[in-house]
Amino acid sequence: MQAKLKALEDKLMNAQQHSEEEFAQHEEEVRQMREGHNMQLQRLKGGLKTPTFYSPKTSPMSPLFSARSPRLDKTTSGQGMSMNEALRTQSLEKRVAELEGALGDADKEMEEVVGRMNLAQIEVMELQSARDEAMRQTRKLQAAIVAEREKVDSLMK
């Protein structure tokens, strides 16, 4: 019974360690996402300094053969952006969606780990209770044995 209790305690310790590792990894991912988000906001605030930003406004070539990427200066939704900016924004949005999905998965895994830890703690408490009950019964039986020996000793005299 003590071996089983020891095994369950080891299981609980392993589960707690795994939970702490998962939590630390989750915290690191959240920190990285925040840093990336802050960097993106700083870039948006400061304006993107791309090669097209520094290129001359008048090109010696015809507008049809411009070396710059296509740009819609005005759109129905407001100020336009270059294709590179649109593609970069699109890829960043995709990456954010992937990270949010990973974060959701990590949250689910964390909930599962916490649930398993709670079950393991309940099992440990049940085993401790069973051990305590067994110890009480052992003491009771030992007291009964001592009483019986005293009876036998008194009858033998």
Side-chain angles (χ1 to χ4, degrees):
M1 184 180 244
Q2 287 183 351
K4 189 175 181 181
L5 178 62
K6 177 68 175 157
L8 285 174
E9 287 175 348
D10 289 342
K11 210 176 193 183
L12 176 63
M13 292 300 290
N14 289 338
Q16 286 176 336
Q17 184 179 5
H18 178 70
S19 173
E20 289 172 3
E21 289 170 358
E22 290 289 326
F23 186 75
Q25 183 180 10
H26 170 73
E27 288 293 318
E28 180 64 22
E29 288 175 0
V30 168
R31 184 188 63 75
Q32 288 175 354
M33 284 177 48
R34 285 189 180 144
E35 285 177 4
H37 184 69
N38 288 339
M39 290 171 55
Q40 183 180 9
L41 286 176
Q42 289 173 354
R43 271 185 254 136
L44 289 174
K45 283 182 183 177
L48 294 174
K49 306 291 192 239
T50 62
T52 58
F53 179 80
Y54 294 114
S55 66
K57 299 300 178 201
T58 58
S59 174
M61 297 172 54
S62 167
L64 294 175
F65 302 107
S66 175
R68 292 174 31 180
S69 62
R71 184 176 191 96
L72 298 173
D73 291 336
K74 297 278 183 174
T75 64
T76 56
S77 62
Q79 193 68 17
M81 66 172 63
S82 72
M83 289 297 272
N84 289 338
E85 291 174 19
L87 290 175
R88 179 158 172 78
T89 301
Q90 194 174 31
S91 67
L92 288 173
E93 287 172 351
K94 183 179 176 184
R95 180 69 177 140
V96 166
E98 290 172 359
L99 290 173
E100 286 174 347
L103 183 61
D105 292 343
D107 283 341
K108 288 177 187 175
E109 287 179 16
M110 183 64 75
E111 288 175 7
E112 290 175 11
V113 168
V114 168
R116 287 194 305 260
M117 282 179 49
N118 288 339
L119 289 176
Q121 287 176 338
I122 289 170
E123 288 179 17
V124 167
M125 289 189 323
E126 288 173 350
L127 287 172
Q128 287 174 340
S129 175
R131 183 192 65 196
D132 292 343
E133 181 62 30
M135 292 297 289
R136 278 192 291 275
Q137 288 178 355
T138 301
R139 286 187 206 115
K140 193 177 193 181
L141 289 173
Q142 285 175 343
I145 290 171
V146 168
E148 287 297 319
R149 282 187 183 157
E150 288 176 357
K151 278 184 186 178
V152 168
D153 285 343
S154 67
L155 290 176
M156 292 290 212
K157 290 187 180 184

PDB file of all heavy atoms in Angstrom, residues 1-2 8 34 37 53 75 84 116 118 135 137 142 149:
ATOM      1  N   MET A   1       0.838  -1.191   0.000  1.00  0.00           N
ATOM      2  CA  MET A   1       0.000   0.000   0.000  1.00  0.00           C
ATOM      3  C   MET A   1       0.882   1.254   0.000  1.00  0.00           C
ATOM      4  O   MET A   1       0.575   2.222  -0.692  1.00  0.00           O
ATOM      5  CB  MET A   1      -0.919  -0.037   1.209  1.00  0.00           C
ATOM      6  CG  MET A   1      -1.903   1.124   1.225  1.00  0.00           C
ATOM      7  SD  MET A   1      -2.950   1.057   2.651  1.00  0.00           S
ATOM      8  CE  MET A   1      -4.498   0.825   1.877  1.00  0.00           C
ATOM      9  N   GLN A   2       1.977   1.201   0.766  1.00  0.00           N
ATOM     10  CA  GLN A   2       2.883   2.351   0.788  1.00  0.00           C
ATOM     11  C   GLN A   2       3.576   2.516  -0.559  1.00  0.00           C
ATOM     12  O   GLN A   2       3.828   3.640  -0.994  1.00  0.00           O
ATOM     13  CB  GLN A   2       3.903   2.202   1.907  1.00  0.00           C
ATOM     14  CG  GLN A   2       3.302   2.422   3.285  1.00  0.00           C
ATOM     15  CD  GLN A   2       4.353   2.333   4.378  1.00  0.00           C
ATOM     16  OE1 GLN A   2       5.481   1.945   4.118  1.00  0.00           O
ATOM     17  NE2 GLN A   2       3.969   2.706   5.593  1.00  0.00           N
ATOM     18  N   LEU A   8       1.862   6.938  -6.534  1.00  0.00           N
ATOM     19  CA  LEU A   8       0.909   8.024  -6.825  1.00  0.00           C
ATOM     20  C   LEU A   8       1.497   9.392  -6.486  1.00  0.00           C
ATOM     21  O   LEU A   8       1.257  10.371  -7.199  1.00  0.00           O
ATOM     22  CB  LEU A   8      -0.401   7.796  -6.071  1.00  0.00           C
ATOM     23  CG  LEU A   8      -1.289   6.708  -6.668  1.00  0.00           C
ATOM     24  CD1 LEU A   8      -2.485   6.443  -5.771  1.00  0.00           C
ATOM     25  CD2 LEU A   8      -1.748   7.083  -8.063  1.00  0.00           C
ATOM     26  N   ARG A  34       3.353  39.249 -27.299  1.00  0.00           N
ATOM     27  CA  ARG A  34       3.246  40.650 -26.897  1.00  0.00           C
ATOM     28  C   ARG A  34       4.378  41.479 -27.483  1.00  0.00           C
ATOM     29  O   ARG A  34       4.163  42.593 -27.952  1.00  0.00           O
ATOM     30  CB  ARG A  34       3.246  40.762 -25.375  1.00  0.00           C
ATOM     31  CG  ARG A  34       1.934  40.351 -24.768  1.00  0.00           C
ATOM     32  CD  ARG A  34       1.865  40.674 -23.299  1.00  0.00           C
ATOM     33  NE  ARG A  34       0.572  40.260 -22.774  1.00  0.00           N
ATOM     34  CZ  ARG A  34       0.389  39.759 -21.584  1.00  0.00           C
ATOM     35  NH1 ARG A  34       1.419  39.648 -20.766  1.00  0.00           N
ATOM     36  NH2 ARG A  34      -0.804  39.409 -21.181  1.00  0.00           N
ATOM     37  N   HIS A  37       3.704  41.931 -31.106  1.00  0.00           N
ATOM     38  CA  HIS A  37       2.596  42.866 -31.288  1.00  0.00           C
ATOM     39  C   HIS A  37       3.077  44.298 -31.052  1.00  0.00           C
ATOM     40  O   HIS A  37       2.729  45.203 -31.809  1.00  0.00           O
ATOM     41  CB  HIS A  37       1.457  42.509 -30.326  1.00  0.00           C
ATOM     42  CG  HIS A  37       0.241  43.345 -30.493  1.00  0.00           C
ATOM     43  ND1 HIS A  37      -0.563  43.265 -31.607  1.00  0.00           N
ATOM     44  CD2 HIS A  37      -0.295  44.296 -29.693  1.00  0.00           C
ATOM     45  CE1 HIS A  37      -1.549  44.130 -31.473  1.00  0.00           C
ATOM     46  NE2 HIS A  37      -1.413  44.759 -30.332  1.00  0.00           N
ATOM     47  N   PHE A  53       9.586  53.622 -50.110  1.00  0.00           N
ATOM     48  CA  PHE A  53       9.454  54.896 -49.407  1.00  0.00           C
ATOM     49  C   PHE A  53      10.616  55.822 -49.758  1.00  0.00           C
ATOM     50  O   PHE A  53      10.438  57.016 -49.922  1.00  0.00           O
ATOM     51  CB  PHE A  53       9.412  54.631 -47.891  1.00  0.00           C
ATOM     52  CG  PHE A  53       9.297  55.886 -47.056  1.00  0.00           C
ATOM     53  CD1 PHE A  53       8.073  56.505 -46.892  1.00  0.00           C
ATOM     54  CD2 PHE A  53      10.410  56.418 -46.428  1.00  0.00           C
ATOM     55  CE1 PHE A  53       7.968  57.645 -46.121  1.00  0.00           C
ATOM     56  CE2 PHE A  53      10.307  57.564 -45.667  1.00  0.00           C
ATOM     57  CZ  PHE A  53       9.076  58.187 -45.507  1.00  0.00           C
ATOM     58  N   THR A  75      -8.544  54.200 -51.971  1.00  0.00           N
ATOM     59  CA  THR A  75      -9.504  53.111 -52.121  1.00  0.00           C
ATOM     60  C   THR A  75     -10.800  53.566 -51.497  1.00  0.00           C
ATOM     61  O   THR A  75     -10.867  54.615 -50.843  1.00  0.00           O
ATOM     62  CB  THR A  75      -9.009  51.827 -51.416  1.00  0.00           C
ATOM     63  OG1 THR A  75      -8.925  52.072 -50.019  1.00  0.00           O
ATOM     64  CG2 THR A  75      -7.673  51.372 -51.957  1.00  0.00           C
ATOM     65  N   ASN A  84       3.300  44.750 -51.322  1.00  0.00           N
ATOM     66  CA  ASN A  84       4.200  44.157 -50.313  1.00  0.00           C
ATOM     67  C   ASN A  84       3.624  44.336 -48.921  1.00  0.00           C
ATOM     68  O   ASN A  84       3.650  43.413 -48.108  1.00  0.00           O
ATOM     69  CB  ASN A  84       5.583  44.798 -50.387  1.00  0.00           C
ATOM     70  CG  ASN A  84       6.348  44.393 -51.625  1.00  0.00           C
ATOM     71  OD1 ASN A  84       6.048  43.367 -52.216  1.00  0.00           O
ATOM     72  ND2 ASN A  84       7.317  45.202 -52.018  1.00  0.00           N
ATOM     73  N   ARG A 116      -6.208  16.553 -14.454  1.00  0.00           N
ATOM     74  CA  ARG A 116      -5.505  15.318 -14.049  1.00  0.00           C
ATOM     75  C   ARG A 116      -4.831  15.495 -12.696  1.00  0.00           C
ATOM     76  O   ARG A 116      -4.811  14.575 -11.873  1.00  0.00           O
ATOM     77  CB  ARG A 116      -4.487  14.921 -15.114  1.00  0.00           C
ATOM     78  CG  ARG A 116      -5.118  14.362 -16.371  1.00  0.00           C
ATOM     79  CD  ARG A 116      -4.095  13.661 -17.259  1.00  0.00           C
ATOM     80  NE  ARG A 116      -2.974  14.480 -17.614  1.00  0.00           N
ATOM     81  CZ  ARG A 116      -2.822  15.120 -18.775  1.00  0.00           C
ATOM     82  NH1 ARG A 116      -3.746  15.025 -19.689  1.00  0.00           N
ATOM     83  NH2 ARG A 116      -1.744  15.843 -19.015  1.00  0.00           N
ATOM     84  N   ASN A 118      -5.821  17.460 -10.294  1.00  0.00           N
ATOM     85  CA  ASN A 118      -6.871  17.429  -9.275  1.00  0.00           C
ATOM     86  C   ASN A 118      -7.295  15.988  -8.987  1.00  0.00           C
ATOM     87  O   ASN A 118      -7.488  15.623  -7.821  1.00  0.00           O
ATOM     88  CB  ASN A 118      -8.068  18.266  -9.717  1.00  0.00           C
ATOM     89  CG  ASN A 118      -7.784  19.748  -9.666  1.00  0.00           C
ATOM     90  OD1 ASN A 118      -6.884  20.197  -8.970  1.00  0.00           O
ATOM     91  ND2 ASN A 118      -8.532  20.519 -10.426  1.00  0.00           N
ATOM     92  N   MET A 135      -4.246   1.998   9.602  1.00  0.00           N
ATOM     93  CA  MET A 135      -3.438   2.183  10.810  1.00  0.00           C
ATOM     94  C   MET A 135      -4.319   2.114  12.063  1.00  0.00           C
ATOM     95  O   MET A 135      -3.923   1.505  13.064  1.00  0.00           O
ATOM     96  CB  MET A 135      -2.693   3.521  10.755  1.00  0.00           C
ATOM     97  CG  MET A 135      -1.606   3.585   9.689  1.00  0.00           C
ATOM     98  SD  MET A 135      -0.292   2.397   9.958  1.00  0.00           S
ATOM     99  CE  MET A 135       0.489   3.099  11.379  1.00  0.00           C
ATOM    100  N   GLN A 137      -7.151   0.479  12.381  1.00  0.00           N
ATOM    101  CA  GLN A 137      -7.542  -0.919  12.558  1.00  0.00           C
ATOM    102  C   GLN A 137      -6.376  -1.743  13.092  1.00  0.00           C
ATOM    103  O   GLN A 137      -6.557  -2.621  13.943  1.00  0.00           O
ATOM    104  CB  GLN A 137      -8.038  -1.501  11.233  1.00  0.00           C
ATOM    105  CG  GLN A 137      -9.387  -0.977  10.817  1.00  0.00           C
ATOM    106  CD  GLN A 137      -9.837  -1.539   9.467  1.00  0.00           C
ATOM    107  OE1 GLN A 137      -9.087  -2.242   8.809  1.00  0.00           O
ATOM    108  NE2 GLN A 137     -11.065  -1.215   9.084  1.00  0.00           N
ATOM    109  N   GLN A 142      -3.946  -4.672  17.473  1.00  0.00           N
ATOM    110  CA  GLN A 142      -2.820  -4.859  18.383  1.00  0.00           C
ATOM    111  C   GLN A 142      -3.282  -4.740  19.836  1.00  0.00           C
ATOM    112  O   GLN A 142      -2.843  -5.506  20.699  1.00  0.00           O
ATOM    113  CB  GLN A 142      -1.731  -3.829  18.085  1.00  0.00           C
ATOM    114  CG  GLN A 142      -0.937  -4.138  16.837  1.00  0.00           C
ATOM    115  CD  GLN A 142       0.054  -3.042  16.490  1.00  0.00           C
ATOM    116  OE1 GLN A 142      -0.045  -1.919  16.968  1.00  0.00           O
ATOM    117  NE2 GLN A 142       1.018  -3.392  15.641  1.00  0.00           N
ATOM    118  N   ARG A 149      -3.654 -11.613  25.235  1.00  0.00           N
ATOM    119  CA  ARG A 149      -2.466 -12.172  25.873  1.00  0.00           C
ATOM    120  C   ARG A 149      -2.541 -12.007  27.394  1.00  0.00           C
ATOM    121  O   ARG A 149      -2.129 -12.893  28.143  1.00  0.00           O
ATOM    122  CB  ARG A 149      -1.209 -11.484  25.335  1.00  0.00           C
ATOM    123  CG  ARG A 149      -0.796 -11.991  23.982  1.00  0.00           C
ATOM    124  CD  ARG A 149       0.530 -11.419  23.562  1.00  0.00           C
ATOM    125  NE  ARG A 149       0.871 -11.878  22.212  1.00  0.00           N
ATOM    126  CZ  ARG A 149       1.682 -11.276  21.396  1.00  0.00           C
ATOM    127  NH1 ARG A 149       2.286 -10.146  21.784  1.00  0.00           N
ATOM    128  NH2 ARG A 149       1.931 -11.755  20.204  1.00  0.00           N
TER     129      ARG A 149
END
